[in-house]
């Protein structure tokens, strides 16, 4: 069963029982979650304070959102009215980037009940024409749930280097600009953990704010090197959005329960004077021409970055958008009138092709550095593409 559920499934669940509905409204830098909750929430929901209830106090030694203690988390869960046999449905208003933390924590703490997440969150509820409640909800009766810790794997800061050196794949769920170090960081040193690969959590979502389809997510993570028989770990800035990548792995059909979370994440790593930091954008995945054609057939935008002479020599590619690789600032600036309208958002799947990877690779890497989260380029370039027609 998918950890996600639709509004229709939530309504059916509510008609047949009383799921415990938890609202994890939180964004880095605000606005304050309690105010957003009072302004409108799903009727019967209980507000969960991520900073106060889903984390211990932050520090440079432990990171911004260390895991809560078992005792503190159990106390919080009981204050939400949570009982051991409950079915829990979690949501937020930001693509489940915060709600995924609670989904992971409950399972890490050994909660026996079912934990689901409302795909699309509060926006999906509103789009379905469902009512909102305002103000504060009555405090629920104290729950009786018993929680512990350590039921899902974690990796600690001193274990990270060995994890990578032994061939483990470390996914970084932060935006690409923070991974590369090109965007100002709230952490002491910009960049990423050496050996990590960029896997922005926002890339798990489609343009409608819902999760991408399982097969799309499976290809995305497969391109990054994820497989059923490889050790994989996940981190982010403070251990919150990393849970979103874990959720996406589960939706994609991987065994996410074997994938450790690095709780201290980059906020802890970058605060230590003895840890190395790498900078620079992620390497874009290289795919063969057959895979490129399949992606384009499924809706990816094909960008032809060849020079006019190269296109004349090799021949045009039907349906491809001609891109001037020397004018990327205008062609992919969302504030520019020259921007390609086909590239609607940073979530738009993109395939870059040139005469060879020497031309397509730098363009694909440039787009990743701009925040595009689903970019690949074609091995063998246009000659390999045309060879499929022969």
């Amino acid at each position: 069963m998918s950890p996600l559920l639709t509004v229709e499934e939530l309504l059916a669940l509510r008609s047949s029982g009383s799921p415990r509905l938890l609202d994890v409204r939180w964004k880095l830098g605000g606005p304050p979650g309690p105010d957003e909750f009072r302004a409108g929430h799903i009727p019967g929901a209980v507000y969960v304070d991520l900073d106060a209830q889903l984390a211990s106090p932050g520090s440079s030694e432990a990171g911004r959102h260390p895991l809560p203690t078992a005792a503190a988390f159990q106390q919080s869960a009981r204050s939400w009215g949570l009982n051991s046999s409950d079915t829990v449905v979690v949501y937020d208003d930001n693509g489940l980037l915060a709600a995924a933390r609670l989904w992971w924590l409950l399972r890490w703490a050994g909660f026996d009940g079912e934990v689901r997440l409302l795909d699309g969150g509060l926006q999906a509820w509103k789009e379905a024409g469902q009512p909102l409640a305002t103000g504060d909800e009555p405090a629920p009766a104290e729950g009786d749930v018993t929680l512990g810790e350590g039921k899902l794997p974690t990796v600690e800061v001193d274990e990270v280097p060995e994890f990578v050196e032994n061939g483990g794949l470390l996914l970084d769920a932060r935006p690409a600009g923070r991974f590369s170090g090109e965007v100002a960081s709230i952490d002491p040193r910009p960049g990423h953990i050496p050996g990590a690969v960029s896997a922005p959590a926002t890339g798990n979502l489609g343009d409608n704010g819902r999760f991408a389809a399982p097969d799309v997510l499976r290809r995305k993570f497969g391109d990054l090197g994820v497989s059923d028989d490889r050790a994989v770990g996940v981190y982010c800035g403070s251990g919150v959005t990393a849970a979103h990548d874990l959720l996406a792995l589960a939706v994609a059909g991987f065994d996410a329960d074997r994938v450790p979370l690095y709780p201290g994440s980059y906020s802890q790593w970058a605060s230590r004077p003895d840890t190395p930091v790498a900078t620079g954008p992620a390497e874009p995945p290289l795919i063969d021409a057959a895979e490129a054609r399949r992606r384009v057939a499924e809706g990816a935008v094909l960008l032809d970055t060849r020079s006019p002479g190269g296109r004349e020599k090799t021949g045009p590619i039907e349906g491809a958008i001609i891109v001037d690789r020397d004018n990327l600032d205008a062609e992919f600036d969302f504030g520019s009138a020259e921007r390609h309208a086909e590239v609607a958002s940073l979530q738009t799947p993109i395939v870059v092709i040139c005469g060879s990877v020497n031309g397509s690779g730098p363009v694909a890497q440039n787009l990743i550095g701009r925040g595009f989260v689903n970019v690949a380029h074609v091995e063998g370039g246009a000659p390999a593409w045309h060879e499929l027609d022969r």
Side-chain angles (χ1 to χ4, degrees):
M1 177 187 294
S2 172
L4 303 175
L5 83 170
T6 65
V7 171
E8 292 73 19
E9 290 171 322
L10 174 56
L11 291 172
L13 193 60
R14 295 185 76 168
S15 67
S16 61
S18 300
R20 179 60 61 192
L21 196 59
L22 302 177
D23 182 315
V24 192
R25 212 80 63 88
W26 178 88
K27 294 184 183 73
L28 185 64
D35 292 345
E36 296 289 294
F37 179 82
R38 295 185 191 101
H41 57 268
I42 299 177
V46 176
Y47 177 71
V48 175
D49 189 320
L50 187 146
D51 287 316
Q53 297 181 309
L54 305 187
S56 296
S59 68
S60 59
E61 292 78 17
R64 284 194 301 277
H65 290 107
L67 298 181
T69 66
F73 188 51
Q74 177 177 282
Q75 180 180 359
S76 295
R78 289 181 174 182
S79 75
W80 309 327
L82 190 58
N83 299 306
S84 297
S85 60
D86 283 348
T87 294
V88 175
V89 177
V90 189
Y91 75 93
D92 61 26
D93 63 348
N94 192 29
L96 304 182
L97 290 169
R101 168 78 167 201
L102 180 51
W103 167 79
W104 184 86
L105 270 177
L106 283 170
R107 296 160 59 253
W108 168 82
F111 177 63
D112 291 329
E114 187 178 348
V115 186
R116 308 285 297 279
L117 301 100
L118 178 60
D119 196 12
L122 188 66
Q123 186 61 34
W125 181 263
K126 292 191 290 188
E127 289 174 357
Q130 297 301 316
L132 295 178
T134 58
D136 291 314
E137 291 279 345
E142 183 90 355
D144 63 9
V145 67
T146 298
L147 298 175
E149 61 184 20
K151 304 303 181 182
L152 293 178
T154 58
V155 61
E156 298 306 316
V157 59
D158 293 329
E159 300 170 326
V160 169
E162 183 179 3
F163 180 87
V164 175
E165 289 167 8
N166 288 340
L169 178 65
L170 193 60
L171 304 178
D172 185 322
R174 297 174 300 159
R178 289 178 62 191
F179 176 90
S180 67
E182 296 168 326
V183 171
S185 175
I186 60 176
D187 299 308
R189 293 179 290 161
H192 58 269
I193 297 173
V197 299
S198 181
T202 52
N204 301 326
L205 304 173
D207 291 335
N208 60 359
R210 274 81 160 167
F211 265 71
D215 61 331
V216 172
L217 291 171
R218 194 166 184 92
R219 282 200 305 274
K220 167 197 166 178
F221 287 114
D223 287 344
L224 295 175
V226 175
S227 66
D228 292 317
D229 56 1
R230 184 178 185 182
V232 179
V234 183
Y235 78 98
C236 60
S238 68
V240 173
T241 54
H244 200 272
D245 268 3
L246 289 167
L247 174 58
L249 286 168
V251 172
F254 292 104
D255 184 4
D257 287 355
R258 72 174 182 86
V259 177
L261 169 74
Y262 170 27
S265 283
Y266 195 71
S267 59
Q268 180 188 45
W269 183 271
S271 297
R272 290 177 58 135
D274 59 339
T275 51
V277 168
T279 57
E283 290 291 334
L286 186 63
I287 60 176
D288 63 28
E291 170 65 10
R293 286 201 173 194
R294 190 190 60 73
R295 293 190 185 193
V296 171
E298 292 184 355
V301 174
L302 181 64
L303 304 181
D304 185 343
T305 64
R306 291 175 293 168
S307 65
R311 289 194 299 276
E312 182 177 353
K313 178 181 178 180
T314 315
I317 297 176
E318 184 178 357
I321 299 171
I322 306 303
V323 169
D324 179 1
R325 61 176 180 258
D326 296 321
N327 192 33
L328 298 178
D329 283 341
E331 300 214 63
F332 295 98
D333 179 355
F334 282 92
S336 170
E338 301 176 51
R339 180 182 65 83
H340 292 292
E342 295 89 345
V343 184
S345 76
L346 294 176
Q347 278 73 40
T348 300
I350 295 172
V351 174
V352 182
I353 195 166
C354 197
S356 72
V357 296
N358 293 329
S360 61
V363 173
Q365 191 167 61
N366 181 289
L367 294 178
I368 290 174
R370 293 171 185 270
F372 289 93
V373 297
N374 190 353
V375 183
H377 66 128
V378 183
E379 186 172 16
W385 180 281
H386 287 303
E387 184 65 30
L388 295 175
D389 295 323
R390 295 190 175 94

